[in-house]
Amino acid sequence: QVQLVESGGGLVQPGGSLRLSCAASGIIFSIYTMAWYRQAPGKQRELVASITNTGRTNYADSVKGRFTISRDNAKNTVYLQMNSLKPEDTAVYYCHAVYGRYDYWGQGTQVTVSP
């Protein structure tokens, strides 16, 4: 059974930082491209950042220079370090794993940026 379990969300003030984690099980983690998506109320889910099995990263323009995605294949975990958070970063953040026709989603973790 495949599981992607996110953690690390919460309430933070503007300018603050959070680190999200996504622990995967039931997949050969090292071969998967991992990504973080987010969905704000009333908006479509959007890609935040991704990292391939070779470590190549990609970021949404809105988070470049503020967020960093990384992975630890030994721990089957992908991370999203979020710095200089803004109110517009408020959303539910989802972990995603994809390899060919196989793709899986986590249940999401809420990030709220508010004074």
Side-chain angles (χ1 to χ4, degrees), residues 11-15 86-87 90 112-115:
L11 174 65
V12 63
Q13 293 186 340
K86 304 175 181 180
T90 295
T112 302
V113 185
S114 179

Side-chain angles (χ1 to χ4, degrees), residues 31-33 96-104:
I31 67 174
Y32 276 72
T33 289
H96 182 243
V98 61
Y99 177 74
R101 63 184 178 91
Y102 300 97
D103 77 289
Y104 305 99

Side-chain angles (χ1 to χ4, degrees), residues 48-65:
V48 176
S50 63
I51 183 167
T52 69
N53 62 331
T54 61
R56 188 173 73 248
T57 59
N58 180 55
Y59 295 92
D61 287 343
S62 59
V63 306
K64 281 181 181 176

Side-chain angles (χ1 to χ4, degrees), residues 1-5 23-28 32 76 103-105 107:
Q1 181 181 0
V2 178
Q3 283 192 311
L4 301 178
V5 180
S25 60
I27 60 172
I28 304 173
Y32 276 72
N76 287 1
D103 77 289
Y104 305 99
W105 292 92
Q107 82 288 349

